[in-house]
Amino acid sequence: MATEQVKNQADFDVIAIGAGFAGLGLIHYVREAGLSIRVFDKASDIGGTWTWNRYPGAASDSECYYYCLTFSKELLQEWKWSVRYPGWEENLRYMHFVADRCNMWPHISLNTKIVSADYQEKSGLWLVRTEAGESFTCRYFISAMGMISEPVIPEFKNMTAFKGPCFHSARWPEGLDYSGKRIGIIGSGATTVQMLPVVAQTAAQVTVFQRTANFVMPAVQKPITTEWDQEIKANYDQIIQKCRNHSFGMAFDSPVGRNLSDTPPDEVQKILEEHWPRGSFRFVFETFDDLVVNAESNRVVGDFIIRKMKEKVKDAEVADLLTPKGYPFFAKRPPLDHGYFETFNRDNVKLVDINEREPIVEFTETGIRTTKQSYEFDIIVLATGFQAYTGAQEALPIRGRNGLLLKDKWKHESSSIMGVFVSGFPNLFMITGPQAPFANLPTSIEQNIHYIVDCIKKMEHESLDVCDPKPDAEAAWTAHTAEIHQMTLMAQGDKVNSWMMGANLKDKKPRVLIYFGGANNYYDKMRESARAGFPEVEFKRRA
Ligand code: NAP
């Protein structure tokens, strides 16, 4: 174990955990600021979400040309995507391309699990320890662990009784041959919506155990043709600008300046029909501006989506089960469809309602028993989601001032300042922590990095040692986030059971995890804060 070190004798200026988009982006910007950085990751490869989520069909739901890092114009011009929504393999190839071209590998330690991170009051350094027993110090400690990375493992009776492979979707075993096998999938979120159409093609039988049906919108996958690639590359400055100015960090035109509530019903249907075949989240952001704030507008668009689903699903009973009920559209993150609904027309696919009709009773040696019958499986996949926003930080003992554990600090409320700073945790920065927006992640990540690196640069230039987030600024951001949340349809009490509010976590009360005031406004607020000299934190010099 390293002993406490004195000022400026840290092993690295910056230590970050997580070698996904955030880790790679940090290496670029921190190095550019003339500081040293080491990125640790427990995974055997870089890629973050794309190194863990290797289930069949795993692909980005953001379109490729804005689901990338934008710090190098050369890289944006050089890289060519093959399809609109790249699969995990292509996303990983892209990240290797970035790491190779920018010579990032010397800054990355893979297969290195960090088991604790402690703020050392005396030296002002953070001390991180690895599972192998090494320890390193740094002046600035950054969580780049991802906002959807720590799995939720459900607890069913006798789970260990099942003899076959049973794993979380984000831990898909390498080389697993599932062809000809009987597969049970628990969960019906974005992961299952992507996975099912692929596994059903070669599996003998697939059974989906669904608790809540989703509003699912079309992805409309397509190749990136030479012409499209040229158009993208000729317009990258505008694409980046659009992302920066969009409420979800995506390269969409918005707002469209039209409310559904002010539009005649015939015209509404015409607009929805026109936009539906275009695919992507554009359907939400390029049709009407009031879909997530006006309950009646939300109902109309929700009904439209349900009607489209019913046109695809042949069996009326299955279609009824697939109909989302009792919560507004977009209160749960809507998945994008790559043939999900048509897959339920196959003879080898079955949907089981475990919410009302036949809840799961227990796992058995050979499968799953519900209140109505026993199902036999060779493989069980737990596509049960993630402990979003806080899970990764809470899984690691991070101790701030006076030994306070971040996990304990967040016991009742996952408060922060803009998802970046936490009071009581000096010189700790988070990338897309709780109370940051939910948006196209590379956009938010790069905006967060600009903000964090600007703060670090200020400290370096002004010889400041300690950046202490102010409790009153944290209380103000938390109150502001809650106030905005109340103005959305997300705040419909019990109707909304979404990971976006941590409602999927057994041991926690739902809470406001997301800033819904618009990613563009959030990016503006970070810029304003940086321009004003970071009034949300108190800077100090050490004696
Ligand atoms: P999810 O949306 O949280 O879905 C988890 C599913 O498991 C839900 O259907 C949930 O039911 C069910 N579930 C959880 N615990 C359960 C239990 N104990 N018993 C029965 N059912 C249970 O997780 P996900 O599908 O992995 O997606 C999570 C997020 O990751 C997405 O919203 C998205 O942001 C991201 N993601 C992105 C992509 C992409 O961009 N390409 C792909 C996949 C995932 P309830 O709904 O009733 O809770």
Side-chain angles (χ1 to χ4, degrees), residues 493-543:
D494 294 344
K495 285 191 193 165
V496 182
N497 161 27
S498 171
W499 64 253
M500 296 207 260
M501 289 161 60
N504 60 337
L505 304 181
K506 231 180 89 210
D507 57 339
K508 279 197 169 156
K509 278 198 186 141
R511 57 197 61 206
V512 181
L513 284 175
I514 297 182
Y515 174 73
F516 283 108
N520 49 341
N521 297 327
Y522 165 80
Y523 306 149
D524 285 346
K525 283 179 192 298
M526 286 192 292
R527 288 293 92 219
E528 279 160 27
S529 164
R531 270 195 294 273
F534 302 89
E536 298 83 1
V537 300
E538 187 183 351
F539 293 108
K540 292 172 202 155
R541 281 195 187 87
R542 299 180 65 79

Short mmCIF file of all heavy atoms in Angstrom, two decimals, residues 493-543:
data_model
loop_
_atom_site.label_atom_id
_atom_site.label_comp_id
_atom_site.label_asym_id
_atom_site.label_seq_id
_atom_site.Cartn_x
_atom_site.Cartn_y
_atom_site.Cartn_z
N GLY A 493 -45.90 9.59 -10.80
CA GLY A 493 -45.94 8.70 -9.63
C GLY A 493 -45.74 7.25 -9.97
O GLY A 493 -44.81 6.88 -10.68
N ASP A 494 -46.63 6.41 -9.48
CA ASP A 494 -46.48 4.97 -9.60
C ASP A 494 -46.59 4.47 -11.02
O ASP A 494 -46.23 3.33 -11.31
CB ASP A 494 -47.57 4.28 -8.77
CG ASP A 494 -47.38 4.56 -7.30
OD1 ASP A 494 -46.28 5.01 -6.95
OD2 ASP A 494 -48.33 4.34 -6.53
N LYS A 495 -47.11 5.32 -11.92
CA LYS A 495 -47.31 4.84 -13.28
C LYS A 495 -45.97 4.57 -13.97
O LYS A 495 -45.89 3.84 -14.94
CB LYS A 495 -48.06 5.89 -14.09
CG LYS A 495 -49.53 5.97 -13.77
CD LYS A 495 -50.19 6.84 -14.81
CE LYS A 495 -51.59 7.22 -14.34
NZ LYS A 495 -52.13 8.32 -15.12
N VAL A 496 -44.93 5.23 -13.51
CA VAL A 496 -43.66 5.13 -14.22
C VAL A 496 -42.67 4.26 -13.45
O VAL A 496 -42.16 4.65 -12.41
CB VAL A 496 -43.06 6.53 -14.45
CG1 VAL A 496 -41.77 6.42 -15.23
CG2 VAL A 496 -44.04 7.41 -15.19
N ASN A 497 -42.43 3.06 -14.00
CA ASN A 497 -41.47 2.17 -13.39
C ASN A 497 -40.28 2.08 -14.36
O ASN A 497 -40.27 1.27 -15.26
CB ASN A 497 -42.12 0.79 -13.19
CG ASN A 497 -41.10 -0.30 -13.01
OD1 ASN A 497 -39.99 -0.05 -12.57
ND2 ASN A 497 -41.45 -1.52 -13.38
N SER A 498 -39.34 2.99 -14.19
CA SER A 498 -38.27 3.09 -15.18
C SER A 498 -36.90 3.14 -14.52
O SER A 498 -36.76 3.74 -13.44
CB SER A 498 -38.46 4.37 -16.01
OG SER A 498 -37.35 4.61 -16.83
N TRP A 499 -35.91 2.55 -15.21
CA TRP A 499 -34.55 2.69 -14.69
C TRP A 499 -34.14 4.15 -14.66
O TRP A 499 -33.24 4.54 -13.93
CB TRP A 499 -33.56 1.84 -15.49
CG TRP A 499 -33.39 2.22 -16.94
CD1 TRP A 499 -33.85 1.55 -18.02
CD2 TRP A 499 -32.67 3.35 -17.48
NE1 TRP A 499 -33.51 2.18 -19.19
CE2 TRP A 499 -32.76 3.29 -18.89
CE3 TRP A 499 -31.96 4.40 -16.91
CZ2 TRP A 499 -32.19 4.23 -19.73
CZ3 TRP A 499 -31.37 5.35 -17.76
CH2 TRP A 499 -31.48 5.25 -19.14
N MET A 500 -34.82 4.97 -15.46
CA MET A 500 -34.47 6.39 -15.52
C MET A 500 -34.71 7.08 -14.17
O MET A 500 -34.29 8.21 -13.96
CB MET A 500 -35.25 7.09 -16.63
CG MET A 500 -34.91 6.56 -18.00
SD MET A 500 -35.16 7.76 -19.31
CE MET A 500 -36.69 7.28 -19.97
N MET A 501 -35.47 6.40 -13.28
CA MET A 501 -35.66 6.94 -11.93
C MET A 501 -35.19 5.94 -10.88
O MET A 501 -35.53 6.06 -9.71
CB MET A 501 -37.14 7.23 -11.70
CG MET A 501 -37.61 8.43 -12.50
SD MET A 501 -39.37 8.42 -12.64
CE MET A 501 -39.82 8.50 -10.93
N GLY A 502 -34.39 4.98 -11.32
CA GLY A 502 -33.90 3.98 -10.37
C GLY A 502 -35.02 3.11 -9.83
O GLY A 502 -34.85 2.44 -8.80
N ALA A 503 -36.17 3.09 -10.52
CA ALA A 503 -37.31 2.32 -10.01
C ALA A 503 -37.09 0.81 -10.21
O ALA A 503 -37.88 0.01 -9.74
CB ALA A 503 -38.60 2.75 -10.71
N ASN A 504 -36.01 0.45 -10.91
CA ASN A 504 -35.72 -0.98 -11.12
C ASN A 504 -34.81 -1.54 -10.01
O ASN A 504 -34.40 -2.69 -10.08
CB ASN A 504 -35.04 -1.18 -12.48
CG ASN A 504 -33.73 -0.41 -12.60
OD1 ASN A 504 -33.51 0.56 -11.90
ND2 ASN A 504 -32.86 -0.86 -13.48
N LEU A 505 -34.52 -0.72 -9.00
CA LEU A 505 -33.60 -1.18 -7.96
C LEU A 505 -34.37 -1.55 -6.70
O LEU A 505 -35.17 -0.76 -6.20
CB LEU A 505 -32.56 -0.09 -7.64
CG LEU A 505 -31.76 0.40 -8.84
CD1 LEU A 505 -30.76 1.46 -8.40
CD2 LEU A 505 -31.04 -0.75 -9.53
N LYS A 506 -34.10 -2.76 -6.24
CA LYS A 506 -34.88 -3.29 -5.12
C LYS A 506 -34.62 -2.54 -3.82
O LYS A 506 -35.53 -2.28 -3.05
CB LYS A 506 -34.48 -4.77 -4.94
CG LYS A 506 -35.67 -5.71 -4.88
CD LYS A 506 -35.20 -7.13 -4.70
CE LYS A 506 -35.09 -7.43 -3.25
NZ LYS A 506 -34.18 -8.34 -2.75
N ASP A 507 -33.35 -2.20 -3.60
CA ASP A 507 -32.99 -1.66 -2.29
C ASP A 507 -33.04 -0.14 -2.23
O ASP A 507 -32.54 0.47 -1.29
CB ASP A 507 -31.59 -2.16 -1.90
CG ASP A 507 -30.56 -1.77 -2.94
OD1 ASP A 507 -30.96 -1.49 -4.09
OD2 ASP A 507 -29.37 -1.73 -2.62
N LYS A 508 -33.64 0.49 -3.25
CA LYS A 508 -33.64 1.96 -3.24
C LYS A 508 -35.00 2.51 -3.61
O LYS A 508 -35.71 1.89 -4.40
CB LYS A 508 -32.64 2.47 -4.28
CG LYS A 508 -31.24 2.45 -3.80
CD LYS A 508 -30.40 3.31 -4.67
CE LYS A 508 -29.05 3.50 -4.03
NZ LYS A 508 -28.05 3.83 -4.99
N LYS A 509 -35.29 3.67 -3.07
CA LYS A 509 -36.51 4.36 -3.47
C LYS A 509 -36.26 5.02 -4.82
O LYS A 509 -35.15 5.52 -5.05
CB LYS A 509 -36.83 5.45 -2.46
CG LYS A 509 -37.52 4.97 -1.24
CD LYS A 509 -38.18 6.16 -0.55
CE LYS A 509 -38.76 5.73 0.76
NZ LYS A 509 -38.57 6.71 1.80
N PRO A 510 -37.28 5.08 -5.70
CA PRO A 510 -37.09 5.83 -6.94
C PRO A 510 -36.67 7.26 -6.64
O PRO A 510 -37.06 7.84 -5.62
CB PRO A 510 -38.49 5.79 -7.58
CG PRO A 510 -39.13 4.59 -7.00
CD PRO A 510 -38.59 4.46 -5.61
N ARG A 511 -35.86 7.80 -7.50
CA ARG A 511 -35.33 9.15 -7.29
C ARG A 511 -35.11 9.82 -8.64
O ARG A 511 -35.12 9.14 -9.68
CB ARG A 511 -34.01 9.06 -6.52
CG ARG A 511 -32.99 8.18 -7.24
CD ARG A 511 -31.87 7.76 -6.35
NE ARG A 511 -32.31 6.97 -5.22
CZ ARG A 511 -31.66 6.88 -4.06
NH1 ARG A 511 -30.51 7.49 -3.91
NH2 ARG A 511 -32.11 6.16 -3.07
N VAL A 512 -34.89 11.10 -8.60
CA VAL A 512 -34.66 11.81 -9.86
C VAL A 512 -33.20 11.64 -10.25
O VAL A 512 -32.31 12.24 -9.65
CB VAL A 512 -35.02 13.32 -9.72
CG1 VAL A 512 -34.80 14.03 -11.04
CG2 VAL A 512 -36.47 13.46 -9.28
N LEU A 513 -32.95 10.80 -11.23
CA LEU A 513 -31.57 10.52 -11.64
C LEU A 513 -31.15 11.34 -12.85
O LEU A 513 -29.97 11.38 -13.18
CB LEU A 513 -31.43 9.03 -12.01
CG LEU A 513 -31.37 8.02 -10.87
CD1 LEU A 513 -31.36 6.60 -11.43
CD2 LEU A 513 -30.14 8.25 -10.01
N ILE A 514 -32.15 11.92 -13.52
CA ILE A 514 -31.86 12.54 -14.81
C ILE A 514 -32.28 14.00 -14.83
O ILE A 514 -33.36 14.35 -14.33
CB ILE A 514 -32.59 11.78 -15.94
CG1 ILE A 514 -32.07 10.34 -16.02
CG2 ILE A 514 -32.44 12.48 -17.28
CD1 ILE A 514 -32.68 9.52 -17.12
N TYR A 515 -31.45 14.83 -15.42
CA TYR A 515 -31.81 16.22 -15.65
C TYR A 515 -32.59 16.28 -16.97
O TYR A 515 -32.04 15.97 -18.04
CB TYR A 515 -30.54 17.07 -15.75
CG TYR A 515 -30.80 18.50 -16.12
CD1 TYR A 515 -31.37 19.38 -15.21
CD2 TYR A 515 -30.51 18.98 -17.40
CE1 TYR A 515 -31.63 20.70 -15.55
CE2 TYR A 515 -30.76 20.30 -17.75
CZ TYR A 515 -31.32 21.14 -16.83
OH TYR A 515 -31.59 22.44 -17.18
N PHE A 516 -33.87 16.65 -16.88
CA PHE A 516 -34.72 16.67 -18.07
C PHE A 516 -34.87 18.06 -18.68
O PHE A 516 -35.77 18.28 -19.48
CB PHE A 516 -36.11 16.12 -17.73
CG PHE A 516 -36.14 14.62 -17.61
CD1 PHE A 516 -36.26 14.00 -16.38
CD2 PHE A 516 -36.01 13.82 -18.75
CE1 PHE A 516 -36.26 12.62 -16.27
CE2 PHE A 516 -36.01 12.44 -18.64
CZ PHE A 516 -36.14 11.84 -17.40
N GLY A 517 -33.98 18.94 -18.31
CA GLY A 517 -34.09 20.32 -18.82
C GLY A 517 -33.50 20.50 -20.21
O GLY A 517 -33.41 21.63 -20.70
N GLY A 518 -33.10 19.41 -20.86
CA GLY A 518 -32.51 19.51 -22.20
C GLY A 518 -31.00 19.47 -22.12
O GLY A 518 -30.38 20.26 -21.40
N ALA A 519 -30.42 18.54 -22.88
CA ALA A 519 -28.96 18.41 -22.87
C ALA A 519 -28.31 19.71 -23.35
O ALA A 519 -27.30 20.15 -22.81
CB ALA A 519 -28.53 17.23 -23.74
N ASN A 520 -28.91 20.35 -24.36
CA ASN A 520 -28.35 21.60 -24.88
C ASN A 520 -28.28 22.67 -23.78
O ASN A 520 -27.27 23.35 -23.63
CB ASN A 520 -29.16 22.11 -26.08
CG ASN A 520 -30.66 22.13 -25.83
OD1 ASN A 520 -31.15 21.46 -24.91
ND2 ASN A 520 -31.39 22.89 -26.60
N ASN A 521 -29.35 22.78 -22.99
CA ASN A 521 -29.34 23.76 -21.89
C ASN A 521 -28.30 23.38 -20.84
O ASN A 521 -27.64 24.24 -20.25
CB ASN A 521 -30.72 23.85 -21.25
CG ASN A 521 -31.74 24.35 -22.24
OD1 ASN A 521 -31.42 25.15 -23.11
ND2 ASN A 521 -32.97 23.88 -22.14
N TYR A 522 -28.20 22.08 -20.61
CA TYR A 522 -27.20 21.58 -19.65
C TYR A 522 -25.78 21.91 -20.13
O TYR A 522 -24.94 22.39 -19.36
CB TYR A 522 -27.41 20.07 -19.50
CG TYR A 522 -26.32 19.28 -18.86
CD1 TYR A 522 -26.18 19.25 -17.47
CD2 TYR A 522 -25.44 18.53 -19.63
CE1 TYR A 522 -25.18 18.49 -16.88
CE2 TYR A 522 -24.45 17.76 -19.04
CZ TYR A 522 -24.32 17.74 -17.67
OH TYR A 522 -23.34 16.99 -17.08
N TYR A 523 -25.52 21.71 -21.42
CA TYR A 523 -24.19 22.05 -21.95
C TYR A 523 -23.94 23.55 -21.79
O TYR A 523 -22.84 23.98 -21.44
CB TYR A 523 -24.05 21.65 -23.43
CG TYR A 523 -24.37 20.21 -23.76
CD1 TYR A 523 -24.91 19.85 -25.01
CD2 TYR A 523 -24.14 19.18 -22.84
CE1 TYR A 523 -25.20 18.54 -25.32
CE2 TYR A 523 -24.44 17.86 -23.16
CZ TYR A 523 -24.98 17.54 -24.39
OH TYR A 523 -25.28 16.25 -24.71
N ASP A 524 -24.99 24.35 -22.05
CA ASP A 524 -24.86 25.81 -21.87
C ASP A 524 -24.50 26.13 -20.42
O ASP A 524 -23.66 27.00 -20.16
CB ASP A 524 -26.19 26.52 -22.18
CG ASP A 524 -26.46 26.59 -23.67
OD1 ASP A 524 -25.54 26.33 -24.47
OD2 ASP A 524 -27.62 26.88 -24.04
N LYS A 525 -25.17 25.44 -19.49
CA LYS A 525 -24.92 25.73 -18.07
C LYS A 525 -23.47 25.41 -17.69
O LYS A 525 -22.84 26.13 -16.91
CB LYS A 525 -25.88 24.94 -17.18
CG LYS A 525 -27.28 25.53 -17.16
CD LYS A 525 -28.22 24.71 -16.30
CE LYS A 525 -29.67 25.11 -16.50
NZ LYS A 525 -29.96 26.50 -16.11
N MET A 526 -22.94 24.34 -18.25
CA MET A 526 -21.53 24.01 -17.96
C MET A 526 -20.60 25.09 -18.52
O MET A 526 -19.63 25.47 -17.87
CB MET A 526 -21.17 22.64 -18.53
CG MET A 526 -21.77 21.49 -17.74
SD MET A 526 -21.09 19.88 -18.19
CE MET A 526 -21.72 19.68 -19.83
N ARG A 527 -20.91 25.55 -19.72
CA ARG A 527 -20.07 26.61 -20.32
C ARG A 527 -20.14 27.89 -19.46
O ARG A 527 -19.15 28.53 -19.21
CB ARG A 527 -20.54 26.93 -21.75
CG ARG A 527 -20.26 25.91 -22.82
CD ARG A 527 -18.78 25.75 -23.14
NE ARG A 527 -18.17 24.71 -22.34
CZ ARG A 527 -16.97 24.74 -21.80
NH1 ARG A 527 -16.20 25.77 -21.95
NH2 ARG A 527 -16.49 23.75 -21.12
N GLU A 528 -21.39 28.23 -19.05
CA GLU A 528 -21.55 29.44 -18.21
C GLU A 528 -20.74 29.30 -16.92
O GLU A 528 -20.07 30.23 -16.49
CB GLU A 528 -23.03 29.62 -17.81
CG GLU A 528 -23.88 30.26 -18.87
CD GLU A 528 -25.37 29.98 -18.63
OE1 GLU A 528 -25.77 29.76 -17.47
OE2 GLU A 528 -26.11 29.94 -19.63
N SER A 529 -20.81 28.12 -16.32
CA SER A 529 -20.08 27.89 -15.07
C SER A 529 -18.58 28.05 -15.31
O SER A 529 -17.88 28.71 -14.53
CB SER A 529 -20.41 26.47 -14.56
OG SER A 529 -19.48 26.08 -13.60
N ALA A 530 -18.08 27.47 -16.40
CA ALA A 530 -16.64 27.56 -16.69
C ALA A 530 -16.24 29.02 -16.92
O ALA A 530 -15.22 29.50 -16.40
CB ALA A 530 -16.29 26.70 -17.91
N ARG A 531 -17.08 29.74 -17.67
CA ARG A 531 -16.77 31.16 -17.95
C ARG A 531 -16.75 31.97 -16.66
O ARG A 531 -15.96 32.89 -16.51
CB ARG A 531 -17.81 31.75 -18.92
CG ARG A 531 -17.42 31.61 -20.39
CD ARG A 531 -18.25 32.51 -21.26
NE ARG A 531 -19.65 32.12 -21.27
CZ ARG A 531 -20.17 31.22 -22.09
NH1 ARG A 531 -19.41 30.64 -23.00
NH2 ARG A 531 -21.44 30.92 -22.04
N ALA A 532 -17.64 31.59 -15.74
CA ALA A 532 -17.73 32.36 -14.47
C ALA A 532 -16.70 31.88 -13.45
O ALA A 532 -16.73 32.32 -12.29
CB ALA A 532 -19.15 32.23 -13.91
N GLY A 533 -15.84 30.95 -13.83
CA GLY A 533 -14.80 30.50 -12.91
C GLY A 533 -15.26 29.43 -11.94
O GLY A 533 -14.75 29.30 -10.85
N PHE A 534 -16.26 28.65 -12.33
CA PHE A 534 -16.76 27.51 -11.55
C PHE A 534 -17.27 27.94 -10.16
O PHE A 534 -16.74 27.51 -9.13
CB PHE A 534 -15.68 26.41 -11.42
CG PHE A 534 -15.19 25.92 -12.74
CD1 PHE A 534 -14.11 26.54 -13.38
CD2 PHE A 534 -15.81 24.85 -13.37
CE1 PHE A 534 -13.67 26.10 -14.63
CE2 PHE A 534 -15.36 24.41 -14.61
CZ PHE A 534 -14.30 25.03 -15.24
N PRO A 535 -18.30 28.80 -10.14
CA PRO A 535 -18.79 29.28 -8.83
C PRO A 535 -19.39 28.17 -7.97
O PRO A 535 -19.58 28.38 -6.77
CB PRO A 535 -19.87 30.31 -9.23
CG PRO A 535 -20.24 30.00 -10.64
CD PRO A 535 -19.04 29.41 -11.27
N GLU A 536 -19.65 27.01 -8.55
CA GLU A 536 -20.25 25.91 -7.76
C GLU A 536 -19.23 25.20 -6.88
O GLU A 536 -19.59 24.34 -6.08
CB GLU A 536 -20.88 24.85 -8.70
CG GLU A 536 -22.00 25.35 -9.58
CD GLU A 536 -21.53 26.05 -10.84
OE1 GLU A 536 -20.29 26.13 -11.07
OE2 GLU A 536 -22.39 26.54 -11.61
N VAL A 537 -17.95 25.53 -7.07
CA VAL A 537 -16.94 24.86 -6.25
C VAL A 537 -16.07 25.90 -5.56
O VAL A 537 -15.95 27.04 -6.02
CB VAL A 537 -16.03 23.92 -7.10
CG1 VAL A 537 -16.85 22.84 -7.78
CG2 VAL A 537 -15.20 24.68 -8.09
N GLU A 538 -15.51 25.47 -4.44
CA GLU A 538 -14.59 26.36 -3.72
C GLU A 538 -13.17 25.85 -3.99
O GLU A 538 -12.88 24.67 -3.75
CB GLU A 538 -14.90 26.29 -2.23
CG GLU A 538 -14.12 27.29 -1.42
CD GLU A 538 -14.39 27.15 0.08
OE1 GLU A 538 -15.30 26.39 0.45
OE2 GLU A 538 -13.65 27.77 0.86
N PHE A 539 -12.34 26.73 -4.51
CA PHE A 539 -10.95 26.35 -4.77
C PHE A 539 -10.08 26.76 -3.59
O PHE A 539 -10.29 27.82 -3.01
CB PHE A 539 -10.44 27.03 -6.04
CG PHE A 539 -11.13 26.56 -7.29
CD1 PHE A 539 -12.03 27.38 -7.96
CD2 PHE A 539 -10.88 25.29 -7.81
CE1 PHE A 539 -12.67 26.95 -9.12
CE2 PHE A 539 -11.52 24.86 -8.97
CZ PHE A 539 -12.41 25.69 -9.62
N LYS A 540 -9.11 25.90 -3.30
CA LYS A 540 -8.21 26.23 -2.19
C LYS A 540 -6.76 25.91 -2.57
O LYS A 540 -6.53 24.99 -3.37
CB LYS A 540 -8.57 25.40 -0.95
CG LYS A 540 -9.91 25.74 -0.34
CD LYS A 540 -10.26 24.74 0.75
CE LYS A 540 -11.76 24.72 1.00
NZ LYS A 540 -12.25 23.47 1.54
N ARG A 541 -5.89 26.64 -1.93
CA ARG A 541 -4.46 26.29 -2.02
C ARG A 541 -4.08 25.57 -0.74
O ARG A 541 -4.55 25.91 0.33
CB ARG A 541 -3.60 27.55 -2.12
CG ARG A 541 -3.59 28.12 -3.48
CD ARG A 541 -2.48 29.14 -3.70
NE ARG A 541 -2.71 29.71 -5.00
CZ ARG A 541 -3.50 30.76 -5.23
NH1 ARG A 541 -4.10 31.37 -4.24
NH2 ARG A 541 -3.68 31.21 -6.45
N ARG A 542 -3.23 24.60 -0.85
CA ARG A 542 -2.75 23.92 0.35
C ARG A 542 -1.56 24.70 0.89
O ARG A 542 -0.82 25.30 0.14
CB ARG A 542 -2.33 22.49 0.02
CG ARG A 542 -3.49 21.66 -0.53
CD ARG A 542 -3.05 20.28 -0.84
NE ARG A 542 -2.66 19.59 0.38
CZ ARG A 542 -3.53 19.07 1.23
NH1 ARG A 542 -4.82 19.14 1.00
NH2 ARG A 542 -3.12 18.45 2.30
N ALA A 543 -1.40 24.63 2.16
CA ALA A 543 -0.31 25.38 2.77
C ALA A 543 1.03 24.84 2.29
O ALA A 543 1.16 23.66 2.03
CB ALA A 543 -0.41 25.27 4.27
#
